[in-house]
Amino acid sequence: MAYTTFNRQINDQMKEPMFFGNPVNVSRYDQQKYGIFEKLIEKQLSFFWRPEEVDVSKDRIDYQNLPEHEKHIFISNLKYQTLLDSVQGRSPNVAFLPIVSLPELETWIETWAFSETIHSRSYTHIVRNISAEPHKVFDDIMLNEKILERAEDVTRYYDDLINGINLYQRCGEGTHSINGETHSISLYELKRRLYLCVMSVNVLEAIRFYVSFACSFAFAERELMEGNAKIIRLIARDEALHLTGTQHMLNIMAAGDDDADMAKIAKECEEEAYTIFRKAAEQEKDWAQYLFKDGSMIGLNKDILCQYVEYITNSRMQAIGMKAIFPTTQNPIPWINTWLVSDNVQVAPQEAEISSYLVGQIDNEVDGGDFGDFDL
Amino acid sequence: MPDIKLSNGVVINFDNSARTLLDALEREQLEVNFHCREGYCGACRCKLLSGEVNYINEPLAFVRKGEFLPCCSVPVTDIEIEIP
Ligand code: FES
Ligand SMILES: [Fe+2]
Ligand SMILES: [Fe+2]
C-alpha cells in the first residue's frame, strides 16, 4: 500500500497488473508483460529533438507583419499549448509513478513526460523569438480567464487521482479524519479515478492538442510562421505516440485480463467517458470562438475549426471503441494530414535552417530587408 | 495480385508498384485518413471485412479486432475493406 522506491518484495513482474500491484523494484527490460510500452519507449527515444535545432528567426518578421487579429490567434494558441504541456510535463509522473507496477510502463511514463518538457521548452524558444517581452506572454497565461477555464478541466482528473493516492498511501482504505476534515477512500474508487484520468489525458492529447495544431499549421499553409510549424510538427509526432500509449492503456483496462476491476469500471464509467469527450469538444468550440473573435484567417475560421473539433472527437472516440457523437464524417481540413506525416519531419544538421549546426550562435537579428526576394 | 474490394462495391487490384495498401487506395483517388504513415498513430484505421493483410513493420498503434492499418500493410489474399 505505502509507496517504496525499491520494493523489497520478491515478485514476478510479469504477473503484476499495470497499476496498483507491487511498486516496481528492478528496472528491467529483458522481459515485458506488455511489449508495446517498451516499443513506445524506443520510438520516443528515436524521436529525440531539441528546440534550438530549429531556427525560428524568420518567424519574427512574419509575426510583426500579421494583422492584429491574427496575432491574437497565433499567440493565444501558443499560450494554450503552453498550458497543456505545463500540465503534461509533470502530471503523468506525479499521478502514475506512485501506483505503477510494471517497469516498462513506468519507464514509458517517464519517457513520455520527459518529451513533454521539451515541448514546454520549445514554446519559450518560439516566444523569445517573436516577442521582445516574452515574460508578458507567459505572465498572461495565469491571468487569462479563457485559458484558466481550460486549465480547470484539464487538471481536475489528475488532481482527484493524486489526492486520492496520497490519502490511500498514507492512511489506507477507509474513512479518515485529517485536520478536522473527513475523507474516504477505497482502492476501487482510486481505480475509478485512474480510469477517468487516463480518459481525460487521452482527450487532452488526442483532441485538444490537435485543435491547436490545426491553428499552427494554418499559418504555415500560407508560408507564415514556418519555424513555429516545424517545431509543432516535431511536437505532433511525439503526441501521436503519447496518444497511442494512452489508447493502449485504456484498451488493456477495458479488456479486464490485466485487472478485472478495471473492466468493470470501464463499463460503469461509460456515461462519464462520453461526458468527458462531449465537454472537451464544447470547450474547444468555445475556444475557437475566442480565437476568431476579431476575425478569421485565410484557410481557417471558427466554423471550420469547430467542424474539425467534431471530426477529431469522433475519430478519437471510435479509436477506443466508443460511438461517434457528432454527424461530421469528413475532415474539413484535409491539408493538416501532410503536416502530420512523419517522414516529412527531418532534423538533419545539413538543413540550412538549423541553427545549432552553425558554428557559434550567430546573430539571429534579421529583418525583412536581409531576405529580399530570397525564398527560404 | 490480390484484389481489394471496398464496401461500396469498387474493386481495385493491388499490384506491387504500390508500397502499401494506403498508397494503392490513394492512387485510386480514395480518401483515407492518415497522419504518420508509419503505423504508430492509428489515424488510418480501416475495417477488414474479409481476407488477410501483412504488416511491413509491426505497428505500434492499437488495432482492434476486425481493423487494420493500411499505411503499413499489404494484402496477402483478396480482401474486403471499409474506409470510415
Ligand atoms: S497513418 Fe499513422 S498508423 Fe497509419
Ligand atoms: Fe506535449
Ligand atoms: Fe503528450
Side-chain angles (χ1 to χ4, degrees):
Chain A
M1 177 184 57
Y3 181 74
T4 169
T5 45
F6 191 79
N7 183 22
R8 301 301 198 278
Q9 173 86 39
I10 297 174
N11 64 329
D12 181 351
Q13 295 184 341
M14 300 291 281
K15 295 208 171 82
E16 295 289 339
M18 289 195 291
F19 296 100
F20 296 114
N22 276 294
V24 184
N25 41 40
V26 179
S27 295
R28 56 185 291 182
Y29 314 98
D30 59 320
Q31 55 175 34
Q32 300 110 27
K33 183 172 178 189
Y34 298 114
I36 182 64
F37 298 114
E38 175 70 8
K39 288 186 193 135
L40 287 168
I41 295 165
E42 300 264 334
K43 195 79 173 171
Q44 182 69 73
L45 291 177
S46 79
F47 282 175
F48 182 78
W49 58 281
R50 288 186 313 135
E52 300 73 26
E53 289 167 8
V54 182
D55 185 356
V56 290
S57 54
K58 187 182 159 281
D59 288 14
R60 179 180 310 189
I61 307 149
D62 289 350
Y63 185 74
Q64 279 162 1
N65 292 332
L66 291 182
E68 282 311 311
H69 73 279
E70 290 192 356
K71 278 189 181 145
H72 164 77
I73 295 168
F74 184 85
I75 209 78
S76 304
N77 191 48
L78 198 55
K79 283 177 192 168
Y80 186 27
Q81 291 170 330
T82 307
L83 163 78
L84 294 178
D85 271 308
S86 301
V87 173
Q88 275 307 94
R90 67 179 70 97
S91 312
N93 286 340
V94 182
F96 304 141
L97 293 185
I99 54 173
V100 70
S101 299
L102 300 174
E104 70 274 20
L105 181 54
E106 180 183 53
T107 305
W108 163 244
I109 292 163
E110 292 166 319
T111 309
W112 165 21
F114 172 62
S115 80
E116 308 285 19
T117 66
I118 311 257
H119 303 173
S120 293
R121 299 182 63 78
S122 70
Y123 302 134
T124 298
H125 180 56
I126 293 166
V127 173
R128 261 192 194 134
N129 174 64
I130 57 170
S131 168
E133 300 172 306
H135 64 276
K136 285 197 178 157
V137 176
F138 292 111
D139 288 349
D140 180 63
I141 295 174
M142 293 303 295
L143 302 170
N144 185 314
E145 256 176 52
K146 290 283 166 191
I147 293 192
L148 293 179
E149 266 171 36
R150 266 138 203 91
E152 163 64 22
D153 259 50
V154 163
T155 55
R156 182 150 46 93
Y157 293 95
Y158 269 130
D159 289 347
D160 284 352
L161 175 62
I162 291 165
N163 291 334
I165 293 167
N166 287 343
L167 181 63
Y168 176 77
Q169 291 191 331
R170 180 138 200 105
C171 306
E173 285 190 301
T175 303
H176 312 285
S177 165
I178 297 164
N179 294 335
E181 273 184 53
T182 310
H183 302 272
S184 297
I185 195 70
S186 67
L187 183 55
Y188 194 80
E189 167 61 17
L190 267 187
K191 288 180 178 177
R192 208 182 67 85
R193 294 187 193 183
L194 168 65
Y195 181 79
L196 291 174
C197 183
V198 177
M199 190 61 83
S200 97
V201 175
N202 183 240
V203 166
L204 188 165
E205 299 197 291
I207 299 176
R208 296 182 191 270
F209 259 117
Y210 279 76
V211 176
S212 84
F213 295 157
C215 296
S216 307
F217 295 138
F219 284 96
E221 277 282 305
R222 293 156 55 199
E223 297 179 22
L224 294 172
M225 311 307 287
E226 290 176 305
N228 178 73
K230 253 182 209 139
I231 286 187
I232 297 297
R233 265 182 119 160
L234 292 161
I235 292 179
R237 184 176 68 168
D238 292 340
E239 292 308 329
L241 221 50
H242 303 169
L243 72 91
T244 286
T246 314
Q247 287 176 354
H248 276 284
M249 281 187 227
L250 287 169
N251 283 303
I252 292 171
M253 286 172 176
D257 308 331
D258 183 66
D259 178 343
D261 279 353
M262 290 313 291
K264 210 171 146 221
I265 287 167
K267 281 214 183 71
E268 286 167 6
C269 290
E270 206 182 286
E271 213 31 60
E272 208 160 342
Y274 275 93
T275 308
I276 292 175
F277 274 95
R278 195 172 288 117
K279 194 156 176 222
E282 267 164 34
Q283 282 187 340
E284 291 305 312
K285 288 181 186 175
D286 248 34
W287 178 248
Q289 165 89 41
Y290 171 72
L291 282 183
F292 296 108
K293 69 183 170 60
D294 303 322
S296 316
M297 53 190 284
I298 301 165
L300 201 59
N301 60 32
K302 190 195 115 222
D303 291 337
I304 297 175
L305 194 58
C306 287
Q307 278 168 36
Y308 184 65
V309 169
E310 297 193 349
Y311 167 79
I312 194 93
T313 303
N314 279 348
S315 84
R316 298 319 193 187
M317 293 179 83
Q318 286 165 327
I320 53 170
M322 297 170 79
K323 292 200 174 55
I325 53 172
F326 296 110
T328 311
T329 53
Q330 290 286 312
N331 182 356
I333 46 169
W335 49 259
I336 195 174
N337 289 350
T338 44
W339 290 97
L340 297 166
V341 175
S342 75
D343 56 15
N344 288 356
V345 181
Q346 275 165 3
V347 192
Q350 59 274 25
E351 275 187 38
E353 67 269 24
I354 293 169
S355 57
S356 62
Y357 182 65
L358 307 172
V359 181
Q361 201 55 43
I362 58 151
D363 187 6
N364 269 341
E365 286 298 323
V366 278
D367 61 50
D370 290 346
F371 286 96
D373 52 5
F374 189 78
D375 209 354
L376 280 187
Chain B
M1 295 296 147
D3 278 341
I4 311 163
K5 189 171 170 204
L6 302 177
S7 49
N8 64 6
V10 175
V11 178
I12 58 180
N13 189 254
F14 185 88
D15 63 49
N16 288 333
S17 66
R19 202 181 63 86
T20 64
L21 270 159
L22 183 58
D23 287 348
L25 295 169
E26 285 175 340
R27 210 173 279 178
E28 300 296 318
Q29 316 297 327
L30 291 159
E31 243 187 67
V32 186
N33 189 32
F34 66 85
H35 289 163
C36 72
R37 303 183 80 94
E38 246 185 51
Y40 64 79
C41 77
C44 64
R45 275 188 200 92
C46 291
K47 286 214 171 80
L48 183 60
L49 304 173
S50 70
E52 207 184 311
V53 300
N54 233 351
Y55 285 107
I56 305 164
N57 291 309
E58 198 50 43
L60 298 189
F62 183 81
V63 192
R64 15 185 85 248
K65 271 201 199 89
E67 290 179 344
F68 77 108
L69 303 171
C71 76
C72 50
S73 61
V74 292
V76 284
T77 62
D78 286 351
I79 58 171
E80 207 183 329
I81 68 170
E82 186 185 320
I83 302 170

